[in-house]
Amino acid sequence: MPQPRMMLVVTGDDFGYCPRRNQGIVECFQAGGISNVSLLVNASAAKEAADLAKRHDIPIGLHANLSEGVPVCQSLQQVSTLINQRGVFQGKMGFRQALERGQLSMKQVEFELRAQVRLFRELTGQLPHHMDGHQHVHVLPEVREVFAQVMSDLRIPYTRVPMEAGLHSCPWLPAHLQRFYTQVEKDATDSIPVFTRYGIRWPDVYLGLTTMGQNMSVPNLQRALSHALASWPSGTTSSSASSCNQPVITGELMVHPGYPSHPQVGGCGEGPDDFSQSADRQHELSMLRDPSLLALYSQKSVQLCAFKDL
């Protein structure tokens, strides 16, 4: 059996978060380091990001946000279950805790998701070809059902299922991240029957949890790719692009390149977070443009593409 060929979508998340993020993402796309972006429509530089995507012909999808900043849906900005006393979303863990306590209205989740898709269309002139969740909220219990329903109604074909092969054999991940990623993986696994029922699609394999920020290196990316390729059943073809009897695997690598945000500049209505202001974003930008990584793609028969190419 010949070595499988991988069609890999390298998605730059958080497009629109701030001007310096936008600048880094565009540079990364132009250098061949990413092949797709995911737009935060409630972020401070979302319009600039959408204009940049049009100007540079960057494939763009929706990074649906229920956990950071201010809702897009005006009726949810004053009083709703999705916001705290400061009028902003409840945060990565706060959203999850409120969900566990049964305090979130799924009808309000639906209103917000539909409002974000409408704003995406206003900004870009098109519906997103893929839609994922900021901080993986789209695979959470109950939310995933609403998410899949909205995608199905609007005929948005692709989402992200964050289950990464090799996740549990990474000694460099601190315990708190291992716990969080393990829960994300469980939620993603439980989402598969829901997404399947609604006819939503996703790439065969996913990478990106083990290679975020300072953990991104060419050896770590090579390791993640090797685990992904090894995890897929031998001889399976998943794409109409398969030719010459060479099996094809589709994949998504989630990344967060950019330049560090200036303090108080950016974010989704409450300023940029610590990760955005750290050197981690620029480190990812450097790694993704590293010639040795681009050579590795060629060596491993990895072809970068967009969701619309799958």
Side-chain angles (χ1 to χ4, degrees):
M1 179 62 64
Q3 174 182 321
R5 179 165 63 91
M6 178 180 278
M7 295 184 66
L8 181 66
V9 181
V10 183
T11 307
D13 278 2
D14 304 339
F15 199 36
Y17 198 84
C18 72
R20 283 172 61 79
R21 177 74 48 78
N22 291 349
Q23 178 189 350
I25 284 177
V26 170
E27 288 180 13
C28 200
F29 176 78
Q30 291 174 324
I34 60 172
S35 56
N36 218 101
V37 294
S38 204
L39 177 69
L40 282 166
V41 293
N42 75 329
S44 64
K47 185 181 187 310
E48 177 197 71
D51 291 343
L52 286 167
K54 288 179 194 173
R55 188 183 315 158
H56 298 286
D57 199 23
I58 305 173
I60 188 168
L62 174 60
H63 203 42
N65 185 3
L66 300 172
S67 56
E68 183 179 357
V70 178
V72 164
C73 183
Q74 289 190 345
S75 66
L76 303 179
Q77 291 175 358
Q78 302 302 319
V79 179
S80 78
T81 66
L82 303 184
I83 60 175
N84 61 24
Q85 293 178 336
R86 295 184 294 112
V88 297
F89 288 133
Q90 302 187 43
K92 181 170 74 172
M93 302 314 296
F95 183 88
R96 287 165 165 81
Q97 290 159 4
L99 181 64
E100 286 177 10
R101 292 193 293 261
Q103 296 173 339
L104 299 182
S105 162
M106 289 302 112
K107 181 54 67 176
Q108 291 176 356
V109 166
E110 180 183 353
F111 287 161
E112 179 61 19
L113 290 177
R114 291 186 186 277
Q116 291 193 18
V117 175
R118 283 196 300 273
L119 181 52
F120 179 96
R121 193 170 192 172
E122 290 171 18
L123 290 169
T124 67
Q126 63 188 52
L127 279 169
H129 198 72
H130 71 97
M131 177 172 162
D132 55 47
H134 185 48
Q135 298 171 338
H136 309 293
V137 296
H138 67 298
V139 295
L140 291 171
E142 298 181 76
V143 177
R144 53 191 171 229
E145 188 85 28
V146 179
F147 198 88
Q149 179 71 65
V150 169
M151 289 187 66
S152 176
D153 288 351
L154 299 173
R155 299 185 179 179
I156 300 169
Y158 275 96
T159 193
R160 169 184 293 166
V161 176
M163 298 166 49
E164 182 170 356
L167 174 63
H168 302 286
S169 57
C170 292
W172 59 84
L173 290 179
H176 73 281
L177 278 184
Q178 273 284 7
R179 286 193 299 271
F180 179 68
Y181 292 162
T182 297
Q183 186 60 53
V184 167
E185 182 181 60
K186 180 185 184 305
D187 291 332
T189 304
D190 293 343
S191 295
I192 288 176
V194 177
F195 292 152
T196 300
R197 190 168 75 250
Y198 283 92
I200 309 301
R201 301 163 67 189
W202 59 93
D204 299 323
V205 295
Y206 166 86
L207 310 81
L209 294 177
T210 65
T211 54
M212 279 184 64
Q214 293 299 319
N215 292 325
M216 183 176 287
S217 65
V218 174
N220 283 356
L221 286 165
Q222 181 171 7
R223 173 192 177 279
L225 274 171
S226 296
H227 275 287
L229 290 165
S231 72
W232 198 245
S234 178
T236 301
T237 57
S238 61
S239 169
S240 59
S242 178
S243 61
C244 305
N245 297 318
Q246 184 181 24
V248 175
I249 299 172
T250 60
E252 182 189 16
L253 169 61
M254 174 193 75
V255 298
H256 302 83
Y259 294 103
S261 302
H262 291 310
Q264 308 307 314
V265 179
C268 303
E270 48 187 332
D273 62 15
D274 291 342
F275 184 35
S276 183
Q277 296 177 73
S278 74
D280 287 5
R281 303 289 187 170
Q282 191 163 347
H283 174 75
E284 288 198 23
L285 178 60
S286 297
M287 288 296 101
L288 290 165
R289 295 185 298 183
D290 192 313
S292 61
L293 176 62
L294 304 182
L296 174 67
Y297 289 150
S298 178
Q299 175 193 340
K300 293 282 188 181
S301 297
V302 174
Q303 174 190 343
L304 267 58
C305 65
F307 275 99
K308 61 184 174 60
D309 301 320
L310 298 182

